[in-house]
């Protein structure tokens, strides 16, 4: 009996948790709906809290090093303390608001190469290890994101890779402690001036701030460098403009205004990124319940096994 109690303290014969999403597909600003299903173990269990949280993989740049870790960036308690009787079954429904700045993971039904997203459920059991469950989530673009991504394709750009960079873009109002970079190879018509373009969306209820970073080719007497542009668009602009024309204008303006824009983004941080990696985003993110920094990624990454397709990507 004592041995059984000890096993229970280590989670053997304890309660189990399984979260079922009504639909794993969502968009920034919408919700994820589902239910957390609990099943009691061999003995009565005092559960302190049931919490769900969105987790993703984030790149972190340090002093001459870069590594990826798993970060929880949004969490919500779905239940306070409760007592689960042996073998008792309990379902707790939830509706998790998806932050407006949540990065896009899927375009046209295909996973963006380099992106992962999951919903983790934690069961905090008194005097025992936490039980957890991880479910894959797909975040699709809002209409304005879709139009801008389509414009890049119409202009002949080829998708290369997407990732999340930990840090804060100086001068941009961010609520999350990271930003997404969607990278494209330049199309032939821009190849004489641009090698690659990195596209960042910082989305809010009002609209989207679009940040472009163009890797410019050097000329006969000038070295290559990064050029930046920042543009505001409203969600209501979706069907009002020719997006290919707008994006073409952004690219031409960005590459011609290198000198005046670079200073806005502060000192360079590796790989030619001239974006400020300050604490501002982390502090703001804490209001949304950002957990204590990076988590050891191995356990979570195992749940992200498999290749989820590629948005026309190249390694």
């Amino acid at each position: 009996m004592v041995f059984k109690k000890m096993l229970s303290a280590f989670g053997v014969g304890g309660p189990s948790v399984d979260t079922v999403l009504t639909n794993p597909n969502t968009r920034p600003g919408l919700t994820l709906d589902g239910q957390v299903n609990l099943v009691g173990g061999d003995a009565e269990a005092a559960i302190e809290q049931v919490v769900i949280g969105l987790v993703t993989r984030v790149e972190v740049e340090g002093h001459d090093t870069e590594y990826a870790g798993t970060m929880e960036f949004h969490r919500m308690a779905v239940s306070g303390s409760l007592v689960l009787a042996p073998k008792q079954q309990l379902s707790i429904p939830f509706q998790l608001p998806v932050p407006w700045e949540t990065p896009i993971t899927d375009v046209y039904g295909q996973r963006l190469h380099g992106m992962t997203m999951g919903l983790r459920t934690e069961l905090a059991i008194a005097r025992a290890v936490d039980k957890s469950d991880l479910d894959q989530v797909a975040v699709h673009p809002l209409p304005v994101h879709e139009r801008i991504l389509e414009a890049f394709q119409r202009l002949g750009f080829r998708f290369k890779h997407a990732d999340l960079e930990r840090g804060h873009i100086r001068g941009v109002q961010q609520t999350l402690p990271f930003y997404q970079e969607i990278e494209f190879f330049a199309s032939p018509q821009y190849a004489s001036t641009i090698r690659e373009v990195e596209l960042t969306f910082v989305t809010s209820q009002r609209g989207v701030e679009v940040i472009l970073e163009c890797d410019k080719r050097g000329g006969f007497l000038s070295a290559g460098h990064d050029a930046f542009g920042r543009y505001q668009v409203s969600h209501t602009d979706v069907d009002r403009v020719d997006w290919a024309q707008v994006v073409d204008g952004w690219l031409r303006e960005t590459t011609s205004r290198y000198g005046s824009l670079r200073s806005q983004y502060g000192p360079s941080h590796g790989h030619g990124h001239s974006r400020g990696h300050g604490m501002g985003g982390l502090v703001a993110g804490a209001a949304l319940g950002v957990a204590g920094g990076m988590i050891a990624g191995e356990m979570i990454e195992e749940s992200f096994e498999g290749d989820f397709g590629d948005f026309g990507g190249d390694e």
Side-chain angles (χ1 to χ4, degrees):
M1 189 66 190
V2 174
F3 180 63
K4 198 165 186 181
K5 268 187 183 172
M6 209 165 95
L7 281 178
S8 181
F10 286 102
V12 179
S16 64
V17 56
D18 178 38
T19 296
V20 178
L21 289 167
T22 308
N23 184 348
N25 299 286
T26 188
R27 296 181 201 275
L30 299 185
T31 61
L32 275 171
D33 300 5
Q35 58 187 45
V36 178
N37 299 319
L38 305 177
V39 179
D42 297 337
E44 186 180 86
I47 293 165
E48 293 170 342
Q49 201 178 33
V50 181
V51 177
I52 55 175
L54 287 169
V55 293
T56 189
R57 191 181 293 122
V58 180
E59 303 288 331
V60 181
E61 286 184 8
H63 295 291
D64 301 322
T65 60
E66 188 167 357
Y67 63 94
T70 303
M71 178 183 278
E72 179 182 77
F73 64 94
H74 185 53
R75 65 191 272 125
M76 181 180 86
V78 296
S79 168
S81 59
L82 58 94
V83 174
L84 203 60
K87 309 301 179 193
Q88 180 187 351
Q89 295 184 15
L90 183 65
S91 288
I92 306 167
F94 65 83
Q95 193 170 58
L96 177 72
V98 176
W100 283 97
E101 282 178 35
T102 301
I104 296 160
T105 65
D106 289 66
V107 178
Y108 309 127
Q110 287 191 295
R111 176 60 46 118
L112 280 178
H113 179 63
M115 293 304 303
T116 59
M117 183 74 63
L119 181 75
R120 185 174 55 190
T121 308
E122 290 176 2
L123 197 60
I125 305 166
R127 299 181 306 282
V129 292
D130 284 0
K131 293 262 181 186
S132 67
D133 178 41
L134 189 79
D135 296 87
Q136 179 133 326
V137 169
V139 183
H140 299 266
L142 288 165
V144 71
H145 299 144
E146 215 158 63
R147 299 295 193 281
I148 293 168
L149 291 168
E150 278 170 10
F152 272 94
Q153 285 206 307
R154 276 168 59 198
L155 292 169
F157 285 81
R158 287 185 305 123
F159 172 75
K160 178 187 175 186
H161 183 74
D163 66 8
L164 302 180
E165 297 281 341
R166 187 173 186 176
H168 197 79
I169 304 172
R170 195 166 299 165
V172 176
Q173 191 64 47
Q174 276 175 249
T175 59
L176 296 183
F178 52 74
Y179 51 87
Q180 183 174 31
E181 290 184 334
I182 301 171
E183 299 173 30
F184 293 94
F185 292 112
S187 62
Q189 63 174 310
Y190 299 94
S192 61
T193 52
I194 305 172
R195 288 190 188 92
E196 296 179 3
V197 173
E198 290 177 356
L199 166 67
T200 294
F201 295 125
V202 180
T203 309
S204 69
Q205 197 165 352
R206 294 177 305 282
V208 181
E209 193 147 7
V210 181
I211 296 100
L212 299 179
E213 180 178 343
C214 298
D215 178 8
K216 280 191 71 175
R217 291 187 185 279
F220 179 58
L221 294 172
S222 61
H225 56 251
D226 291 344
F228 295 92
R230 257 173 66 189
Y231 303 93
Q232 293 269 6
V233 294
S234 164
H235 293 298
T236 56
D237 289 338
V238 169
D239 297 316
R240 292 182 184 172
V241 297
D242 177 340
W243 284 103
Q245 197 177 1
V246 168
V247 171
D248 176 67
W250 288 348
L251 290 166
R252 292 181 191 284
E253 189 182 359
T254 297
T255 52
S256 67
R257 282 173 49 196
Y258 155 69
S260 60
L261 271 166
R262 184 165 185 139
S263 59
Q264 292 182 20
Y265 292 85
S268 180
H269 282 255
H271 301 302
H273 294 302
S274 296
R275 297 180 178 184
H277 290 243
M279 287 298 289
L282 301 181
V283 174
L288 280 174
V290 171
M294 310 301 284
I295 306 154
E298 293 74 23
M299 177 185 76
I300 290 167
E301 285 176 18
E302 281 170 15
S303 306
F304 287 127
E305 284 171 1
D307 185 9
F308 302 101
D310 200 309
F311 181 47
D314 291 291
E315 278 285 19

